Amino acid sequence: MTVKLLFKNLSPFVKPYHKLVVATLLLTLIGSFAAQVNAWVLRYTVDHISDLLHVEDKLKKGLNLLTWISVILITKEVVNAFVQFGQKYFGEKLRILVSRDLAQRIIDKILTYKLAFFTANDNESGKLQTRIDRGIESLTRLVQNFFIDILPLFANAIVALIMMFQANVWVGMVGLILVPIYFLITQNQAKKLSGWRRNMRGFRESKSQGIISIIDSITVIKSFNREKIESKKQLDLQTQLTENQLQTRKTNFIYDGIKSFVEQFGVVIIIILTVYLVLTDLMTVGAIMFHIMLFGNVSAPIRQLHRIYDEMNDAMIYSETFFDILNADHQTENTGTYAPAQLKGEFTLQNVSFTYPNGTEALHDINMTILPNKITALVGLSGAGKSTIINLLDKFYNPNHGTILLDGVDLNQYNTKFLRDNIGLVLQKNHIFNGSIEENIRYGKINATDEEVIEAAKKAYIHDQIINLPLGYQTKALNLSGGQQQRIAIARMFLKNPPIIFLDEPTASLDAIATEQIKNSLDAIKKGRTVVIISHSISQIIDADYIYAMKAGRVTESGKHEEIYNQNGVYKEIFDASARSLNIEKIAKTFEDE
Ligand code: ADP
């Protein structure tokens, strides 16, 4: 990312506020002239007072001069106060508005991205969040500082420099020569510091991570008596952090010294030069202070150069990844236009192969038919590719080879929003949003009536438990147990009432009673719909009308329970193992004994 590219990317976000920008620029101009007033007044005062020293009635004339000076200086301070307030306020307003727009734009943008974007290796939620946050933070800081610090300071410097040249070419040259020298020193300093600064960030993150990890694993640490080891880990980190901090400070102090020296050297040269000009009668004595003060106005902003340099660097580093995310148009989900009035719900997979963006080959040459009004079960050890099939049917990913048809039409031709409106997805671990139970259920149908919400909760066998809670439907859903949350998710799907239902181990986290209740309500919902269920529970598999057994991304056998069992393949292996793990014989004996 270059500075030019940075500003090009940023400008669409600043453009809507061009009036603010113009107002700020105007204030900056006024401010930079006001900043020179002190120098002018001082020269005028010194010159006139030295003249007055030789006349009679000096006190009276002096008082007159004093009144004028006071009026000018106080007026200037009043103007300055307004200018500074305006600059700070407009700059801050701009920062807040730009930051809001950047945040909203990136949220709107990533919501349109493919699932592949979110599951890509370097886009884990934590990393993505850090990149977005840092990007926004550094960009908005740049915008703000540009208008509040950088622009006014440099405008001041340029005006002061012009005045120095106007006073005397040689005096102007001293001011001008100082700028590149300062710039070189600052660049050097920033380069030296950048490594330390990066390390510092890393150490700070590890340090806070370390404390969180200790708190999270305190039971394990104590039960294994590992307090000393944990303490040592933190100590090592602290030592590195301290070393790094000291190095940063040391570098800063050394460079501060060098810069101070260069600046004072400039002042000395200015004094010598001006005194020479005064003594050779080319200037009046007031020029000495005048030049020193103008020189101060030139050197003040470049003293800040190193901070500005850091901020620009930060903005370039972090905004690069930020704009990469914002401009990843190729990640936008594709959608077709097909949206029939009625869906039958028959899926056909023809020679479908799929590899995840990270290179995991999940499916090979899958052929499958999923019929409406039937329950199709996918059975296989974990990692076999069952969930991946559901991911493809929901159009979360597109197959690399082969075709998926829904009612004879290529899934790609379907309007994605329409398709997902017609699919209900219940996962093993369903997402519960931060909000009330009611809000979480209503997510299935935003405009549902209260009665409909209650009806859905009843179907998911959770209504009775909800009304016994002190806050009822207004209870925070995140406070519920895993099994209860699962039933909230199922109620959400009941409310959506889609013709196609995918259940990915829906009862895996439920207790036996809840599982049975859910099984009953799922039995009820299956009628007249397409149901695909992934399950490890024999009772649910046995109920399926058709079963596909999968292993390592391939379909190994398929058929009704009896047929597929007799094929002596993966299905039989898994089924027998499940029966053994359930200790079916002893269970059966219990029932016989009764
Ligand atoms: P199952 O549902 O049968 O347990 P999955 O379909 O979840 O299996 O996974 C099939 C293979 O794809 C596994 O090797 C798994 O690690 C991999 N996989 C699943 N999801 C992703 C993903 N988002 N990105 C990369 N690989 C994945």
Side-chain angles (χ1 to χ4, degrees), residues 119 356 358 360 362 381-388 397:
T119 50
Y356 277 103
N358 72 352
T360 310
L381 298 179
S382 71
K386 308 177 297 291
S387 306
T388 304
Y397 296 92

Side-chain angles (χ1 to χ4, degrees), residues 63-185:
L63 264 175
N64 200 13
L65 178 72
L66 215 58
T67 316
W68 274 110
I69 290 170
S70 311
V71 170
I72 292 173
L73 286 183
I74 288 171
T75 314
K76 178 224 137 195
E77 274 321 309
V78 172
V79 171
N80 223 13
F82 278 106
V83 167
Q84 285 208 1
F85 166 80
Q87 260 177 352
K88 284 197 180 126
Y89 181 68
F90 292 156
E92 185 69 9
K93 193 168 171 186
L94 199 65
R95 182 189 69 83
I96 292 171
L97 292 173
V98 168
S99 151
R100 175 196 69 185
D101 293 354
L102 283 167
Q104 191 57 38
R105 182 78 64 86
I106 199 147
I107 288 169
D108 286 343
K109 207 62 198 280
I110 61 173
L111 277 172
T112 68
Y113 288 169
K114 296 175 194 167
L115 219 60
F117 168 80
F118 297 93
T119 50
N121 268 353
D122 52 348
N123 280 355
E124 292 127 13
S125 56
K127 284 190 188 165
L128 211 53
Q129 192 201 359
T130 312
R131 270 187 270 156
I132 291 176
D133 283 352
R134 289 229 175 112
I136 294 179
E137 195 191 302
S138 61
L139 280 172
T140 50
R141 196 164 356 109
L142 183 69
V143 169
Q144 184 197 29
N145 287 349
F146 185 76
F147 287 103
I148 294 183
D149 285 347
I150 307 181
L151 205 62
L153 281 174
F154 279 84
N156 281 359
I158 290 169
V159 173
L161 207 56
I162 291 172
M163 287 186 175
M164 283 173 88
F165 267 105
Q166 194 223 13
N168 181 279
V169 179
W170 294 108
V171 173
M173 286 302 274
V174 177
L176 191 64
I177 286 170
L178 183 87
V179 178
I181 297 177
Y182 234 85
F183 196 78
L184 274 177
I185 299 173

Side-chain angles (χ1 to χ4, degrees), residues 242-521:
T242 320
E243 175 67 15
N244 207 64
Q245 265 172 327
L246 283 175
Q247 285 293 350
T248 315
R249 293 285 179 277
K250 195 169 116 191
T251 314
N252 261 337
F253 294 152
I254 291 175
Y255 275 93
D256 283 350
I258 296 177
K259 284 194 288 191
S260 218
F261 175 78
V262 171
E263 198 183 329
Q264 288 313 310
F265 193 72
V267 173
V268 170
I269 301 272
I270 294 274
I271 293 175
I272 293 173
L273 193 62
T274 317
V275 168
Y276 169 78
L277 292 171
V278 171
L279 292 179
T280 50
D281 281 337
L282 286 170
M283 281 182 184
T284 53
V285 68
I288 300 178
M289 277 318 284
F290 181 56
H291 292 169
I292 290 175
M293 286 185 85
L294 288 181
F295 184 72
N297 281 349
V298 176
S299 62
I302 43 180
R303 222 178 292 144
Q304 308 271 344
L305 255 181
H306 116 94
R307 196 168 53 83
I308 293 162
Y309 196 89
D310 285 349
E311 270 167 18
M312 285 293 277
N313 261 346
D314 268 5
M316 285 197 285
I317 292 166
Y318 293 128
S319 68
E320 185 164 336
T321 45
F322 177 83
F323 285 116
D324 279 351
I325 299 172
L326 189 73
N327 298 328
D329 288 322
H330 61 283
Q331 297 283 11
T332 310
E333 268 191 315
N334 45 350
T335 175
T337 51
Y338 187 61
Q342 192 81 39
L343 272 185
K344 221 171 92 202
E346 179 178 326
F347 285 100
T348 319
L349 288 85
Q350 299 171 336
N351 310 104
V352 169
S353 298
F354 177 69
T355 303
Y356 277 103
N358 72 352
T360 310
E361 294 179 26
L363 297 177
H364 308 272
D365 202 24
I366 302 279
N367 287 292
M368 225 181 239
T369 306
I370 295 164
L371 294 175
N373 295 319
K374 298 265 191 267
I375 300 166
T376 306
L378 305 181
V379 178
L381 298 179
S382 71
K386 308 177 297 291
S387 306
T388 304
I389 299 243
I390 287 184
N391 280 340
L392 295 189
L393 296 182
D394 230 328
K395 237 168 110 175
F396 289 147
Y397 296 92
N398 291 325
N400 301 101
H401 297 287
T403 336
I404 302 177
L405 305 175
L406 172 57
D407 295 345
V409 178
D410 192 328
L411 211 56
N412 281 324
Q413 294 184 18
Y414 277 87
N415 176 302
T416 307
K417 198 171 166 311
F418 164 84
L419 182 77
R420 293 190 190 145
D421 270 342
N422 283 284
I423 294 177
L425 186 60
V426 175
L427 303 171
Q428 178 182 347
K429 190 136 181 35
N430 279 285
H431 194 76
I432 294 298
F433 295 96
N434 189 8
S436 67
I437 293 178
E438 187 202 326
E439 283 166 344
N440 266 281
I441 298 179
R442 207 186 285 276
Y443 205 76
K445 183 179 168 192
I446 304 293
N447 57 1
T449 62
D450 289 350
E451 289 72 32
E452 285 177 307
V453 171
I454 292 172
E455 189 54 37
K458 279 185 181 157
K459 282 193 200 156
Y461 289 95
I462 186 76
H463 174 73
D464 290 343
Q465 289 189 25
I466 297 174
I467 51 173
N468 280 326
L469 295 167
L471 292 176
Y473 276 86
Q474 299 313 317
T475 309
K476 261 190 140 189
L478 284 172
N479 292 344
L480 299 174
S481 72
Q484 286 170 328
Q485 290 190 358
Q486 183 70 342
R487 275 178 282 169
I488 298 290
I490 291 174
R492 189 191 286 163
M493 190 201 58
F494 276 125
L495 193 61
K496 185 175 178 184
N497 196 21
I500 299 166
I501 291 175
F502 299 145
L503 306 164
D504 193 345
E505 302 186 38
T507 53
S509 61
L510 301 187
D511 57 54
I513 306 278
T515 304
E516 194 193 5
Q517 289 172 343
I518 292 289
K519 188 178 166 316
N520 292 340
S521 54

